[in-house]
Amino acid sequence: MLFYSYPIVYIINLVLSTSQTRSKATIDEVLRFIEQGSGFVIAPFDFLIFRRMLQLPDEWEIHDRIIGATACYYGVTLITKDMVLSDSEEIKTIW
């Protein structure tokens, strides 16, 4: 089974975006989907990831730094079309 790891900041962004737009999925539906063991894992934002975040460029927005630091910490390829992250030499990305 393929697992997808998401930094907790993704869930925070999801809550903000669903409250501001007419999303087809509610946050409760997304959380239930994750809780059912559907191959999604929520990566915590802990002290080790915070320390890695401090090594990324200060001019990045905070959510980009958290997402980038999480990908670096776990040594995973990040699926994103965010140009800040995909242009980085430190973070391996696809899309």
Side-chain angles (χ1 to χ4, degrees), residues 74-93:
Y74 286 103
V76 298
T77 300
L78 187 61
I79 302 171
T80 184
K81 56 183 177 178
D82 183 304
M83 295 305 293
V84 169
L85 296 169
S86 59
D87 286 347
S88 170
E89 294 181 10
E90 292 185 62
I91 301 167
K92 186 177 178 184
T93 63

Side-chain angles (χ1 to χ4, degrees), residues 27-52:
I27 188 62
D28 289 331
E29 291 170 330
V30 172
L31 294 177
R32 275 195 300 276
F33 182 74
I34 293 168
E35 290 169 341
Q36 291 172 355
S38 55
F40 291 88
V41 177
I42 303 301
F45 180 60
D46 60 16
F47 185 72
L48 295 173
I49 294 173
F50 175 76
R51 297 277 300 187
R52 182 64 180 97

Side-chain angles (χ1 to χ4, degrees), residues 14-34:
L14 181 63
V15 169
L16 293 175
S17 66
T18 56
S19 67
Q20 297 171 355
T21 64
R22 292 183 158 197
S23 177
K24 291 183 181 180
T26 67
I27 188 62
D28 289 331
E29 291 170 330
V30 172
L31 294 177
R32 275 195 300 276
F33 182 74
I34 293 168

Side-chain angles (χ1 to χ4, degrees), residues 54-78:
L54 296 176
Q55 298 169 6
L56 294 174
D58 290 338
E59 59 272 6
W60 288 11
E61 293 186 29
I62 191 69
H63 65 274
D64 287 332
R65 292 177 76 192
I66 294 170
I67 293 166
T70 304
C72 289
Y73 179 79
Y74 286 103
V76 298
T77 300
L78 187 61

